[in-house]
Amino acid sequence: EIVLTQSPGTLSLSPGERATLSCRTSQSLSDTFLAWYQQKPGQAPRLLTYGASSRATGIPDRFSVSGSGTDFTLTITRLAPEDFAVYYCQHYGSSPAITFGQGTRLEIK
Amino acid sequence: QVQLQESGPGLVKPSETLSLTCIVSGSSITSSSFNWVWIRQPPGKGLDWIGNVKNSGDAYYNPSLKSRVTVSVDPSKNQFSLTLRSVTAADTAVYYCARRIVGRISYFYMDVWGKGTTVTVSS
């Protein structure tokens, strides 16, 4: 079972700044089988990105992903007020099991 | 537009059975392109996977819950269900249903989620 570790636990930034969120996997991924979700208070998670570079429908291009092996990054350039939320990464692949990272809270500084 | 809607009691007594249903609209539950998923989130905590079910009815569960959980599909009503037996306070959570995209031999991400339903276990 692959374990996902997200860091930092909480990230405090101001609107307009750049956010870098990390997701580290316990085993090297041969491909970028990683998805990212955004969850705002009182709402369900929303799919943001999947794979090496794909954004879900309606997700602005200030959200991007990068990484390989065991280290993956979600970058949000020019933070907008609506971007402050909790972000989760999820590994997928050949197993029907679903594993999430523990989440990173992005809060307004 | 695909929508998922959870329904079920918001309060369950300890040792009893929690039953939830997810009504799917805009997508066929018999499609081989999707699995149907239950995920929960305890208060103030992260996301915990409960189980998946295929259009065939074959299900796969989180090993930590496997002895207590059943996920099933009802194609005639285009919905799927969760049953969790012998609940305790630790099962108090927001329960989400979701659609997961799958391939022939691969499992992907959840692209559509229900809004979630809060279940409290208390006497």
Side-chain angles (χ1 to χ4, degrees), chain B residues 40-105:
Chain B
R40 69 182 182 180
Q41 186 170 38
K45 296 188 177 181
L47 302 170
D48 289 333
W49 168 61
I50 300 172
N52 311 332
V53 65
K54 298 168 60 173
N55 58 342
S56 63
D58 292 340
Y60 193 85
Y61 304 118
N62 186 323
S64 69
L65 296 170
K66 187 175 181 179
S67 64
R68 299 195 290 132
V69 69
T70 301
V71 179
S72 59
V73 290
D74 185 344
S76 68
K77 296 181 180 178
N78 212 48
Q79 65 186 38
F80 62 108
S81 300
L82 167 69
T83 300
L84 183 63
R85 297 172 289 276
S86 304
V87 298
T88 70
D91 295 310
T92 294
V94 177
Y95 285 74
Y96 296 102
C97 59
R99 185 180 79 170
R100 186 183 195 186
I101 295 176
V102 299
R104 199 163 54 84
I105 57 170

